[in-house]
Amino acid sequence: MEAPSSVAPETPSPPATAAAATAAPRQTCLASLLSRAKEKLCTWRILKTLALGQMLSLCICGTAVTSQYLAERFRVNTPMLQSFINYCLLLLVYTTTLAFRKDGDSLLKILRGKWWKYILLGLVDVEANYTIVKAYQYTTLTSVQLLDCFGIPVLMALSWFILRARYKLIHFIAVAVCLLGVGTMVGADILAGRQEGEGSNVVIGDVLVLLGASLYAISNVSEEYIVKNLSRVEFLGMVGLFGTIISALQLGIVEHKDIANIQWNWKIVLLFLAFALCMFGLYSFMPIVIRVTSATSVNLGILTADLYSLFFGLFLFDYKFSVLYLLSFGIIMVGFILYCSTPTRTAEAASTSLPLTASTGFDNLALKMEENHLDTAASSPALHNKEENGTGQVLASGPSAL
């Protein structure tokens, strides 16, 4: 009778033990990384910023759809008249508010001290609107969509030198991702056949787009400075006042014949009214969004406006749909979220003629408040004042640029 053989328990081989020991930290590290990314990207502040940007995109979409409907259905091409109506609304609401407000600088005091600066700002804003619309008569939709993105690097450069913004690598990556989304959208336009319309002179059209994008960048940087350091009502009131005057003069010079040829009816009136309301909402709401974020992040967020216009065009203008449009929308959203996830800092300047913010140097208001909360124990009296004011801005003394 054989004796039962004793079987020794199997033990893992040394390589298997080492692999398991290595895999555990990797899984932990990956889980920690995903958790940190979720905490940083999926926050209420990011979602709120995203929603605010898309509200601006919808306003831009409304202006684009009404303008195109006027042009294609009624042969009405009067961009300056449409802008003039918007500036008149700004004049009636915000310039009147400036004239009767009791707190802050009055309208007369602002005009006495900074009238020529606001004339230049009004001229820049009016011509930015006009040159972009005018470019469509000379070049293609594809060229306008691509070259209009030139305003983003111009805006970042102006923010670097004027607003003293300092960017991190993640911001440049985010901008590149957004521009990739625009490229995907343009590719979808080409495949869908929306690039037709060569125009009479492509070179003139492309130059107009680049000029308009640069003027928009100047206007947006000025807007960010004014609404963060002065007031939103002052910006809108001055733009409404001088924008009305400048656009009225230009309207009488370049569009008086086009206006005389309009066959007015209730549909055309409603379209003009819809355009004016969308543009007025855009101008009224954009300073609020810029104040809690920055001009650069706003311009990245409104890159989706063309996509919203496309979705309306599927029903109104018989556009062809492509899955690439949804892909481009997703890419732009990813880039926008990446940009907003990390704050930009402001360069410390020992001496400057611009009233800069205090030591925190964040552009994003929500991130400023979070930084203040984390550093409460070491916060200075200036930071306490900033939290009490609720504006996220501590103005330094000295002459103002505007």
Side-chain angles (χ1 to χ4, degrees):
M1 190 172 185
E2 295 181 0
S5 60
S6 60
V7 179
E10 295 184 0
T11 57
S13 60
T17 304
T22 306
R26 287 180 179 176
Q27 294 177 354
T28 304
C29 180
L30 180 61
S32 176
L33 183 62
L34 292 176
S35 177
R36 291 178 58 187
K38 182 179 180 181
E39 291 177 358
K40 192 170 186 179
L41 299 179
C42 300
T43 64
W44 168 245
R45 288 181 291 273
I46 296 295
L47 293 176
K48 182 171 66 174
T49 303
L50 186 65
L52 292 174
Q54 297 318 292
M55 289 182 65
L56 296 179
S57 287
L58 288 173
C59 290
I60 296 175
C61 169
T63 63
V65 171
T66 51
S67 295
Q68 187 171 356
Y69 205 87
L70 281 169
E72 292 192 5
R73 295 293 189 269
F74 301 101
R75 298 295 183 266
V76 175
N77 291 284
T78 55
M80 190 52 62
L81 174 60
Q82 294 165 228
S83 296
F84 173 73
I85 298 173
N86 168 60
Y87 289 123
C88 287
L89 291 176
L90 294 176
L91 173 68
L92 291 174
V93 175
Y94 295 105
T95 310
T96 303
T97 303
L98 274 181
F100 291 99
R101 78 174 182 178
K102 298 180 180 179
D103 57 329
D105 293 339
S106 64
L107 177 61
L108 292 178
K109 185 176 181 180
I110 294 173
L111 289 175
R112 281 197 298 264
K114 296 171 280 190
W115 61 270
W116 64 272
K117 298 176 183 177
Y118 281 117
I119 287 179
L120 293 178
L121 178 58
L123 180 64
V124 166
D125 196 76
V126 169
E127 299 309 323
N129 289 322
Y130 182 74
T131 52
I132 289 292
V133 176
K134 193 68 176 178
Y136 283 97
Q137 298 180 16
Y138 297 98
T139 188
T140 63
L141 172 67
T142 301
S143 296
V144 173
Q145 288 175 321
L146 283 175
L147 296 178
D148 192 38
C149 297
F150 176 73
I152 293 177
V154 173
L155 180 58
M156 295 180 71
L158 291 175
S159 298
W160 180 284
F161 290 107
I162 298 177
L163 302 179
R164 313 289 291 174
R166 292 299 179 261
Y167 302 101
K168 298 180 181 180
L169 178 61
I170 187 65
H171 297 119
F172 295 103
I173 295 175
V175 171
V177 171
C178 287
L179 297 182
L180 176 62
V182 174
T184 305
M185 178 175 59
V186 170
D189 285 341
I190 294 175
L191 293 177
R194 290 185 64 210
Q195 79 281 5
E196 65 273 352
E198 288 295 333
S200 58
N201 195 316
V202 175
V203 175
I204 293 179
D206 292 347
V207 171
L208 286 175
V209 176
L210 294 176
L211 176 61
S214 301
L215 292 175
Y216 269 127
I218 296 172
S219 177
N220 289 157
V221 168
S222 302
E223 181 175 1
E224 180 175 354
Y225 176 85
I226 294 171
V227 301
K228 286 186 176 181
N229 295 313
L230 300 175
S231 76
R232 165 179 170 267
V233 175
E234 179 173 333
F235 170 79
L236 293 174
M238 291 296 99
V239 168
L241 174 61
F242 293 109
T244 300
I245 297 173
I246 295 170
S247 61
L249 294 174
Q250 190 165 339
L251 175 65
I253 297 173
V254 301
E255 286 187 0
H256 61 279
K257 293 183 179 178
D258 295 325
I259 296 174
N261 293 329
I262 297 177
Q263 302 295 323
W264 292 96
N265 57 54
W266 66 272
K267 292 183 180 180
I268 294 178
V269 172
L270 285 180
L271 287 171
F272 269 97
L273 180 60
F275 176 92
L277 291 177
C278 289
M279 185 65 79
F280 179 77
L282 174 66
Y283 269 75
S284 299
F285 194 59
M286 182 174 281
I288 300 175
V289 184
I290 286 180
R291 183 161 187 163
V292 300
T293 57
S294 68
T296 303
S297 63
V298 168
N299 277 265
L300 292 176
I302 62 178
L303 289 176
T304 57
D306 287 333
L307 292 166
Y308 292 127
S309 301
L310 161 79
F311 296 145
F312 281 97
L314 294 174
F315 303 98
L316 298 175
F317 309 112
D318 299 324
Y319 288 161
K320 296 180 181 178
F321 178 75
S322 173
V323 179
L324 288 178
Y325 289 120
L326 296 179
L327 178 61
S328 63
F329 182 85
I331 294 174
I332 293 173
M333 287 295 97
V334 169
F336 180 68
I337 292 173
L338 284 176
Y339 187 92
C340 295
S341 66
T342 302
T344 58
R345 292 189 177 275
T346 303
E348 295 291 338
S351 61
T352 179
S353 62
L354 294 176
L356 300 176
T357 54
S359 59
T360 54
F362 286 115
D363 280 340
N364 190 306
L365 173 63
L367 291 170
K368 286 181 184 179
M369 301 303 292
E370 180 180 357
E371 183 75 6
N372 293 339
H373 178 70
L374 294 175
D375 296 334
T376 301
S379 61
S380 65
L383 292 181
H384 284 297
N385 292 334
K386 182 167 69 173
E387 289 183 350
E388 292 173 1
N389 292 337
T391 62
Q393 299 294 325
V394 179
L395 303 183
S397 60
S400 80
L402 284 169

